[in-house]
Amino acid sequence: MAGIHVSDIEAAIDWWRARAPSTDGVTACAEVRALAEVYARLAVRRQTLIDEATLSSFTLQAWLAWYATTPDAPCIAICSTSQGDAVCKGCGRSFDEVQRWTALSPAEKRAVWRRITDEGTAWRFNRYAERARPASDIDPPDPRGNAIGRAAPPGRA
């Protein structure tokens, strides 16, 4: 099994804190407490990775709920591995990673994301960064003028 990086645990904690804020300013939701325990364990041991197989089912589900909000594949539709490159110029994944992407676990995918982000050499991070920008609620524009995911204004359908 792959390891989950401390930065992903921290991001999941922050996501849960925003999703289920403390009502009294002190008490955290169960998901935050479970993830914080893992975060503390990593900090005390001065480690950066925890094996996903060692997480309780509840903690793993809390992490997976956050993971579901992250982009799946780093692809920007410029795949140079199809032209014979060992590493894609567009996204930074190796040929093997591109081929096996659907079979990778969430933790394995996050490890690839972390590596390509740290390297920052793929076109998704520079030359074609606009292709990798986060989608907004009006992407792509609806030909009828409505924002995607919103109800049409009165009188428009």
Side-chain angles (χ1 to χ4, degrees), residues 34-82:
L35 290 163
E37 182 179 321
V38 172
Y39 186 87
R41 197 174 337 143
L42 288 169
V44 166
R45 295 178 183 163
R46 297 175 191 235
Q47 296 174 331
T48 57
L49 293 173
I50 188 159
D51 188 338
E52 64 183 313
T54 65
L55 299 179
S56 72
S57 176
F58 182 79
T59 305
L60 181 59
Q61 290 308 310
W63 183 79
L64 287 171
W66 164 78
Y67 168 80
T69 68
T70 64
D72 180 51
C75 182
I76 59 168
I78 303 175
C79 191
S80 67
T81 61
S82 63

Side-chain angles (χ1 to χ4, degrees), residues 86-106:
V87 175
C88 179
K89 290 180 178 96
C91 71
R93 292 180 292 170
S94 70
F95 176 79
D96 186 53
E97 290 165 342
V98 170
Q99 295 298 308
R100 294 183 331 104
W101 191 257
T102 57
L104 296 179
S105 74

